[in-house]
Amino acid sequence: MEKINAVITGVGGYVPDYILTNDEISKMVDTNDEWIMTRIGVKERHILNEEGLGSSYMARKAAKQLMKKTGANPDDIDLVVVATTTPDYHFPSTASILCDKLGLKNAFAFDLQAACSGFLYLMETAANFIRSGRYKKIIIVGADKMSSMVNYTDRATCPIFGDGAAAFMVEPTTEDYGIMDSILRTDGKGLPFLHMKAGGSVCPPSYFTVDNKMHYLHQEGRTVFKYAVSNMSDVSAAIAEKNGLTKDNINWIVPHQANVRIIEAVAHRMEVPMDKVLVNIEHYGNTSAATLPLCIWDYEDKLKKGDNIIFTAFGAGFTWGAVYVKWGYDGKKES
């Protein structure tokens, strides 16, 4: 029996129209464009500011574009998985809302939560459903409305994050392309350094939690930065070595877009020049689970069939990892 690989056959993306610039942020908190660009590398971020719209709205936009580009029949979609830290509701899942909005009748769907590493975990999850032989068309979506939990009076975190969504179609192939290998890790040590204090079952919402701003993202930046640099660098080097990849035959590195200095540190460790590293943090900021697929959406026309690509990310938990993908088609600019 031929070996089944899981190959990415298309990508769709969406970012909201409203752009929050560094100049606007400098009117909210004591900062400026130079400080933000030097330390984080973000010039602007897209914000979903319409009343009553959440992550599922952006996910739907990205998935609709994906289905149109790949010519997918809604009845043929077997599975939808959404990685998000900002679901529309505690329940039902954002993926279930997406099924309804896309008119999918034959799919099952669930959400996956691994913070900024969510899309890495999605790729491995989808690949294994495909390898089982029982599923043929899977949509995976990274979608986060980070503005919904950012405190715009906190100078340390408010310049970092933006909103967006992007989606991949994953299908079976017997060719030697697709999601080839992964190294994924979780250690649980990160709880004190990156979390939202209230709103869960440990500390349900109350007047006290709202008054004390406990429903915003809390991050100890220096600690997270240090762990992100070492873990993303180590795991990227490990997956390259495991698969015989070197700076010469790695075509692209797609790093999580959290901080331009983290991205540069990973490239330096891999001895890969920055022109082989896909970077769009300047225009989107950190969109959490959406950063990796948004990068591919942005740079799709540069990708060639057979390109060796290493995806890597680091997120709350701590969660981190790297996925090695042999790209399955020649990207082209949309006409």
Side-chain angles (χ1 to χ4, degrees):
M1 192 175 153
E2 284 186 294
K3 185 183 170 206
I4 299 172
N5 282 338
V7 67
I8 297 154
T9 56
V11 57
Y14 173 78
V15 288
D17 292 334
Y18 178 73
I19 293 173
L20 178 62
T21 64
N22 286 349
D23 289 339
E24 281 184 80
I25 285 192
S26 65
K27 294 184 177 81
M28 301 174 184
V29 291
D30 179 20
T31 190
N32 58 60
D33 178 69
E34 188 194 7
W35 191 93
I36 296 170
M37 283 300 292
T38 306
R39 284 167 179 76
I40 308 166
V42 184
K43 185 69 109 179
E44 56 192 26
R45 60 294 287 148
H46 293 254
I47 303 294
L48 184 65
N49 60 359
E50 288 95 333
E51 196 71 32
L53 296 181
S55 295
S56 75
Y57 173 80
M58 298 185 293
R60 180 177 87 208
K61 291 277 201 180
K64 274 203 161 152
Q65 186 189 89
L66 171 71
M67 290 176 72
K68 188 178 172 194
K69 279 168 70 175
T70 56
N73 180 335
D75 292 345
D76 293 340
I77 306 299
D78 300 310
L79 170 61
V80 177
V81 195
V82 176
T84 184
T85 308
T86 55
D88 285 22
Y89 307 97
H90 269 313
F91 66 91
S93 71
T94 302
S96 69
I97 297 167
L98 194 55
C99 279
D100 176 52
K101 300 292 189 193
L102 296 174
L104 309 183
K105 302 283 190 289
N106 299 314
F108 77 106
F110 60 91
D111 288 357
L112 182 152
Q113 213 285 67
C116 294
S117 302
F119 205 83
L120 282 182
Y121 286 31
L122 273 194
M123 286 195 281
E124 175 67 5
T125 300
N128 286 320
F129 274 105
I130 293 287
R131 289 171 193 140
S132 77
R134 292 181 56 192
Y135 305 92
K136 301 289 187 281
K137 276 188 186 292
I138 298 175
I139 293 174
I140 55 174
V141 189
D144 268 306
K145 184 183 172 183
M146 295 305 291
S147 62
S148 67
M149 58 177 177
V150 167
N151 179 356
Y152 286 96
T153 64
D154 177 9
R155 186 175 82 139
T157 57
C158 77
I160 301 171
F161 297 97
D163 302 340
F168 285 177
M169 186 74 74
V170 185
E171 300 184 68
T173 182
T174 52
E175 291 188 298
D176 197 26
Y177 298 103
I179 298 165
M180 310 302 285
D181 197 11
S182 70
I183 302 173
L184 303 175
R185 295 287 181 265
T186 310
D187 69 2
K189 291 185 172 61
L191 174 62
F193 310 111
L194 187 49
H195 60 265
M196 186 196 286
K197 283 188 169 64
S201 57
V202 165
C203 182
S206 66
Y207 289 114
F208 179 84
T209 65
V210 173
D211 289 346
N212 286 276
K213 296 186 164 61
M214 293 165 69
H215 295 267
Y216 292 121
L217 172 152
H218 166 79
Q219 173 172 278
E220 288 183 30
R222 280 191 182 152
T223 305
V224 174
F225 180 90
K226 188 178 73 181
Y227 275 99
V229 167
S230 61
N231 285 325
M232 279 171 66
S233 299
D234 288 351
V235 77
S236 299
I239 204 161
E241 189 179 341
K242 191 177 163 200
N243 290 280
L245 298 171
T246 66
K247 64 179 188 292
D248 301 318
N249 61 6
I250 292 170
N251 297 96
W252 305 105
I253 291 177
V254 186
H256 174 50
Q257 309 286 307
N259 184 304
V260 73
R261 293 183 300 159
I262 297 173
I263 294 168
E264 287 165 351
V266 171
H268 181 72
R269 168 71 187 276
M270 301 289 291
E271 298 180 353
V272 169
M274 282 302 291
D275 60 10
K276 283 188 173 184
V277 183
L278 301 188
V279 184
N280 62 6
I281 186 172
E282 186 173 337
H283 301 296
Y284 300 121
N286 180 352
T287 55
S288 194
T291 65
L292 299 179
L294 271 177
C295 254
I296 293 295
W297 180 61
D298 249 6
Y299 289 98
E300 186 186 13
D301 61 303
K302 287 183 177 291
L303 307 182
K304 300 275 180 287
K305 188 170 184 175
D307 277 358
N308 292 315
I309 305 176
I310 291 176
F311 292 81
T312 184
F314 179 88
F318 292 125
T319 56
W320 71 96
V323 172
Y324 163 40
V325 170
K326 195 175 268 293
W327 195 249
Y329 63 93
D330 287 338
K332 52 187 181 294
K333 280 212 182 293
E334 284 185 73
S335 53

